[in-house]
Amino acid sequence: MRDHHVYDLGDFTLQGGLTLRDAKLAYQTYGTLNAGRDNAIVYPTWYSGRHWENEWLIGPGMALDPDKYFIIVPNMFGNGLSSSPSNTPPPWDRARFPNVTMYDNVRAQHRLVTEHFGIERLPLVTGWSMGAGQTYQWAVAYPDMVERIAPFCGSTVTSEHNKVFLDSVRAALTADDAWQGGWYETQPTKGLRAAARVYAGWGFSQAFYWHQTYRQLGFSSLEDFAVGFWEGFFLDDRDANNLLTMLWTWHNADVGKTPGFEGDTERALRSITANAMVLPAEKDLYFPPEDEEWACAFIPHAELRVIPGVWGHFAGGGANPTDTAFIDNALKDLLTR
Amino acid sequence: MRDHHVYDLGDFTLQGGLTLRDAKLAYQTYGTLNAGRDNAIVYPTWYSGRHWENEWLIGPGMALDPDKYFIIVPNMFGNGLSSSPSNTPPPWDRARFPNVTMYDNVRAQHRLVTEHFGIERLPLVTGWSMGAGQTYQWAVAYPDMVERIAPFCGSTVTSEHNKVFLDSVRAALTADDAWQGGWYETQPTKGLRAAARVYAGWGFSQAFYWHQTYRQLGFSSLEDFAVGFWEGFFLDDRDANNLLTMLWTWHNADVGKTPGFEGDTERALRSITANAMVLPAEKDLYFPPEDEEWACAFIPHAELRVIPGVWGHFAGGGANPTDTAFIDNALKDLLTR
C-alpha cells in the first residue's frame, strides 16, 4: 500500500439507505493547488485500480501536468484503500459491506474537493473505464462545478451486454466454494483466477491476440500472458469481496439514477453543461464506440474521438504509448477550449 | 435421447496415440440415398449440439432438401451420443476419456460414409461453429471426395483469442469444487451455470443485447434470458466432462494438423479443391469475419459472404429466420455450381 492521504467522511449515508460509518476516502494528489483554487483536475480510479495505477497519464509536458495542475486521484469505494469490504470493521465488513453507487462515490469525492480543498470549479474531470463512469457522474451531479470532462473507454449507463460480461466475472469468481458467500478467511484464488480468465477475453480485442501483441508487453506466449498478466492482475493484492463491491457499482451505473432525474438517463445527459471529449476505443468489447455515439447525441457539447487500434479496452490502460499519446493529445485539445 | 443410429467403429486409434475401444459413432439421416450414391450431404454437429439440433436447416424446399439429398448428421465425439466421457465404460470413462481431434472426428465420419454407405463423392459438407471446423477438415483430409463446403460461423484454425474464450469457459466450469477433477457422481451445476454465464456474453453480439433482441425468443428480461436460455442450455442433459472433451477438440483445432501437412495451416488451406462458400457472421465475437477473410485468401475456390445483423455467433444457430434464409440461400447458390 503506497503513500496516500485519507479524508474522513464520517458517517456517510449511501443512496441505498445504509450508512457507511467512519467512511474513508483515500486519495493522492500531484502538483500544487494555486491561490485561486481553480487548477484542480479530478481523475478517479477504475475497476480494481489504485491511485498509483493512474499515474501513467500524469507528468511534465503531458496534459495532466503537475507543474500546472493540481491533480486529485480519489480511490473508489471498494478498491481496498478507500472504505472497502476488506478494511471495514464488523458488522459492515466482508459480505455485509453495503452496495455503493457511482453517485455515492462522486458525492464523497465532491466533499473532499469542496470541504477539504475549498475548490469550487474544476477545469477537468477525466478517467478510464469506471473512472469514465465517475467522470460522467461528476458532470451530471455537479454541472456548475465541472467545466470539462474527458471520459475514456467507459459509459454513462451500463449496457445490457456489459452486465452479461460482469455477471460472468461474478459467476466465475463465486463458483469457487472457497469464496464461502464472502466469509472466507483466505482469498478464493481458484475463483479469482477463473475471473481473470474470463476478463482476459474481454480486456483486449480479437486482433490484439491474433497479432500476439502481448509480446510487446514482454510475454512469451498466450499462456504466459494468461497467467503472468491476467491471473497476476487478479492476485495483485485484490480481494474477492472488494471486486464484487466494485462490480455491483459498475453493474448498476446509470447517470439517470442521480437524484433529480428519476432514472431518466437521456435527460441526465442533456443536462450536462461541461465541454465533453468522449474517447471510446475502436475495438473495446464491453464499451463499444456505438454506445458512446448514442450518449453523445444527447450531451450538448460533446466531441467523439475513437481511439484507433487493436488494444481494445486496454487502450485506456496506459500500456501502449500510441494510445496514451492519443488520449493525452485529446486532453490537451480539450483543455484549450 | 431421440432416435438415432449407431455405427460401430471398433477399436479406433486416435491421433494422440490412445485407442478408443468399441468406439461408437451416433448419427441420423434425412432423405434417401440414391442409386448412384451421389446425393449425400454431411452436416456435423457443433459444440454440445446433438443431431436433432441441426434439423432447423433441413426441410422440403430448403437447400438441404430430404426429397433430393441424403443428409447425414454425425454426432461429434463427446456430445453424449457418440463415444463420450459420459457413456464410455471404465477405464476410459469420465476424466480418462482421451483427447479427440477434429481429424479424429472426421476420420470416423469418413468411415461411416464410405464403409457403411459406400459413398465416394459428397456434393456438400456443411456445418455451424465446430461443425464448420469439421467441414474444413473434411475438405483438407478428403479432397477427392468433397465437392463443396459451406462452413458457417467457424474457423479453419482456432485463433488465440478464441482459445482465451475457451479457457475462460473451462476455468468457470472447473472452479466448482463439485467437478472433482472430472470424477463427480452428480453434475457440477454451479460450474455449468458459471460456464453458461461466460458463454452468454460471447454467443450474441453487444447490439443483440442493446436492442433486447432476446425478447424475440420469448424472454422477458436480461436475467430471464441469462437463466432461461443460457443456464438452461448448459443444464439440458449436458455433462461437464463431455463439454471439456469437445472444448479440447475445439481448442486444438487446426486443419494444418491433418496428417501430411506438418502443422502448416496455409498449405492445408491451399490444398482444398472443394468449391467453398464461407459464411461468417458480421458480429460473431469469437469467429470474427476477419479470420475467415484470412482463410479465404488461401483457399483456391472460395466465396466469402458475411451474414449481416446483430445475432453474432448464433446467426448460425437457427433461431433467427432472417439469418436462416441467408444461409439457406447461400447453400442453394453453392449447390448450383
Side-chain angles (χ1 to χ4, degrees):
Chain A
M1 203 178 297
R2 310 195 192 174
D3 190 42
H4 62 265
H5 313 283
V6 174
Y7 184 64
D8 289 314
L9 294 161
D11 292 349
F12 188 76
T13 299
L14 302 163
Q15 267 193 303
L18 297 177
T19 295
L20 205 53
R21 284 170 172 79
D22 193 23
K24 309 287 188 191
L25 181 61
Y27 66 97
Q28 186 51 287
T29 66
Y30 307 84
T32 309
L33 185 62
N34 65 13
R37 299 176 188 274
D38 62 1
N39 72 330
I41 290 173
V42 173
Y43 177 23
T45 59
W46 34 273
Y47 184 67
S48 88
R50 286 72 59 112
H51 59 270
W52 63 84
E53 291 166 309
N54 270 10
E55 292 174 357
W56 55 273
L57 196 58
I58 302 170
M62 299 185 79
L64 304 192
D65 189 337
D67 295 336
K68 191 171 173 186
Y69 293 107
F70 179 60
I71 301 136
I72 305 167
V73 178
N75 289 275
M76 250 198 307
F77 287 126
N79 87 333
L81 300 178
S82 290
S83 290
S84 301
S86 65
N87 65 16
T88 296
W92 297 106
D93 60 320
R94 301 190 281 177
R96 281 288 183 274
F97 191 80
N99 292 329
V100 180
T101 65
M102 281 283 192
Y103 177 72
D104 291 327
N105 271 290
V106 167
R107 196 162 51 88
Q109 296 166 19
H110 180 260
R111 282 190 46 196
L112 168 72
V113 168
T114 56
E115 293 174 6
H116 183 68
F117 290 115
I119 293 166
E120 293 179 0
R121 300 283 292 175
L122 292 169
L124 177 68
V125 179
T126 187
W128 177 46
S129 197
M130 284 185 79
Q134 291 166 81
T135 297
Y136 281 122
Q137 184 60 73
W138 262 99
V140 170
Y142 305 106
D144 296 337
M145 192 166 174
V146 179
E147 295 173 354
R148 296 172 196 81
I149 56 171
F152 48 104
C153 311
S155 69
T156 61
V157 52
T158 301
S159 74
E160 291 212 352
H161 178 266
N162 197 312
K163 289 180 182 179
V164 173
F165 155 57
L166 294 174
D167 286 340
S168 75
V169 172
R170 179 169 50 197
L173 175 52
T174 60
D176 185 353
D177 286 344
W179 174 58
Q180 298 183 62
W183 299 110
Y184 54 83
E185 292 294 335
T186 55
Q187 295 296 324
T189 54
K190 189 168 57 168
L192 287 167
R193 288 173 188 267
R197 290 285 180 156
V198 174
Y199 228 104
W202 295 108
F204 296 93
S205 75
Q206 298 96 336
F208 175 93
Y209 285 103
W210 180 275
H211 297 292
Q212 303 187 333
T213 314
Y214 49 77
R215 292 184 184 276
Q216 292 179 25
L217 297 173
F219 295 94
S220 53
S221 68
L222 183 63
E223 185 66 8
D224 192 55
F225 183 61
V227 177
F229 182 91
W230 280 109
E231 295 192 10
F233 194 100
F234 273 71
L235 296 174
D236 177 24
D237 208 26
R238 263 82 178 183
D239 170 87
N241 287 324
N242 288 356
L243 291 171
L244 293 172
T245 287
M246 290 180 284
L247 193 147
W248 190 95
T249 305
W250 183 349
H251 202 286
N252 291 274
D254 180 354
V255 292
K257 293 180 183 170
T258 311
F261 291 99
E262 292 91 31
D264 188 338
T265 309
E266 296 180 11
R267 187 158 67 83
L269 294 176
R270 282 196 208 95
S271 76
I272 293 176
T273 55
N275 203 325
M277 175 71 78
V278 176
L279 302 165
E282 179 190 354
K283 290 182 183 292
D284 192 323
L285 291 173
Y286 45 100
F287 292 113
E290 291 77 4
D291 298 8
E292 296 311 278
E293 278 175 39
W294 173 85
C296 283
F298 301 105
I299 303 172
H301 311 287
E303 177 182 345
L304 183 83
R305 284 193 196 175
V306 178
I307 307 169
V310 304
W311 284 67
H313 188 65
F314 271 68
N320 181 29
T322 306
D323 294 333
T324 298
F326 186 98
I327 296 164
D328 189 52
N329 285 331
L331 292 177
K332 283 173 176 161
D333 286 353
L334 179 64
L335 284 166
T336 63
R337 294 176 188 171
Chain B
M1 202 177 297
R2 312 196 190 174
D3 190 42
H4 62 267
H5 311 283
V6 174
Y7 184 63
D8 288 315
L9 294 160
D11 290 351
F12 188 75
T13 300
L14 302 163
Q15 268 193 303
L18 296 177
T19 295
L20 204 52
R21 284 170 173 79
D22 193 22
K24 309 286 188 192
L25 180 61
Y27 66 97
Q28 186 51 288
T29 65
Y30 307 83
T32 308
L33 184 61
N34 64 15
R37 299 178 190 275
D38 62 1
N39 72 330
I41 290 173
V42 174
Y43 177 23
T45 58
W46 34 273
Y47 184 67
S48 88
R50 283 77 56 114
H51 59 270
W52 63 83
E53 291 166 310
N54 271 10
E55 293 175 356
W56 55 272
L57 195 59
I58 301 169
M62 300 185 79
L64 304 191
D65 189 336
D67 294 335
K68 191 171 175 187
Y69 293 106
F70 179 60
I71 301 138
I72 303 167
V73 178
N75 289 275
M76 251 199 306
F77 287 127
N79 88 332
L81 300 179
S82 290
S83 288
S84 302
S86 65
N87 64 16
T88 296
W92 298 105
D93 60 320
R94 299 191 282 177
R96 281 288 182 274
F97 191 80
N99 291 329
V100 180
T101 65
M102 281 284 192
Y103 176 71
D104 291 326
N105 272 289
V106 167
R107 197 163 49 88
Q109 295 166 20
H110 180 260
R111 283 190 48 196
L112 168 71
V113 168
T114 56
E115 295 174 6
H116 183 68
F117 290 113
I119 294 166
E120 293 179 1
R121 301 281 293 173
L122 291 168
L124 177 67
V125 180
T126 188
W128 176 46
S129 198
M130 284 184 81
Q134 291 166 81
T135 297
Y136 281 121
Q137 184 60 72
W138 261 100
V140 170
Y142 306 106
D144 296 337
M145 192 166 173
V146 179
E147 297 173 354
R148 297 173 195 80
I149 56 171
F152 49 102
C153 311
S155 69
T156 62
V157 52
T158 301
S159 74
E160 292 212 351
H161 178 267
N162 198 312
K163 290 180 182 179
V164 173
F165 154 57
L166 294 174
D167 287 340
S168 74
V169 172
R170 179 169 51 198
L173 175 51
T174 61
D176 185 352
D177 286 343
W179 173 59
Q180 297 183 64
W183 300 111
Y184 52 85
E185 294 293 336
T186 55
Q187 296 295 325
T189 54
K190 189 167 60 169
L192 287 168
R193 288 173 188 268
R197 289 286 180 157
V198 173
Y199 229 104
W202 295 107
F204 297 93
S205 76
Q206 299 95 339
F208 175 93
Y209 286 103
W210 180 275
H211 296 293
Q212 302 187 333
T213 314
Y214 49 77
R215 291 185 184 274
Q216 293 179 25
L217 296 173
F219 295 94
S220 53
S221 68
L222 183 64
E223 185 67 7
D224 191 56
F225 183 60
V227 177
F229 181 92
W230 281 108
E231 295 190 12
F233 194 101
F234 274 71
L235 296 176
D236 177 24
D237 207 27
R238 263 82 179 184
D239 169 88
N241 287 324
N242 288 357
L243 291 172
L244 293 171
T245 287
M246 290 180 282
L247 194 146
W248 190 96
T249 305
W250 182 350
H251 201 286
N252 291 274
D254 180 354
V255 292
K257 293 181 183 168
T258 311
F261 292 99
E262 291 93 31
D264 189 337
T265 309
E266 295 180 11
R267 188 158 66 81
L269 294 177
R270 282 195 208 94
S271 77
I272 293 177
T273 55
N275 204 325
M277 175 70 78
V278 177
L279 302 165
E282 179 190 354
K283 291 184 182 292
D284 193 323
L285 291 171
Y286 47 100
F287 292 114
E290 292 77 3
D291 299 8
E292 295 312 278
E293 279 176 39
W294 173 85
C296 284
F298 302 105
I299 302 172
H301 311 288
E303 177 183 345
L304 183 83
R305 284 193 197 175
V306 178
I307 308 169
V310 305
W311 284 67
H313 188 65
F314 272 68
N320 182 29
T322 307
D323 294 333
T324 297
F326 187 96
I327 294 165
D328 188 52
N329 285 332
L331 292 178
K332 282 173 176 160
D333 287 352
L334 179 63
L335 284 166
T336 64
R337 293 179 190 171

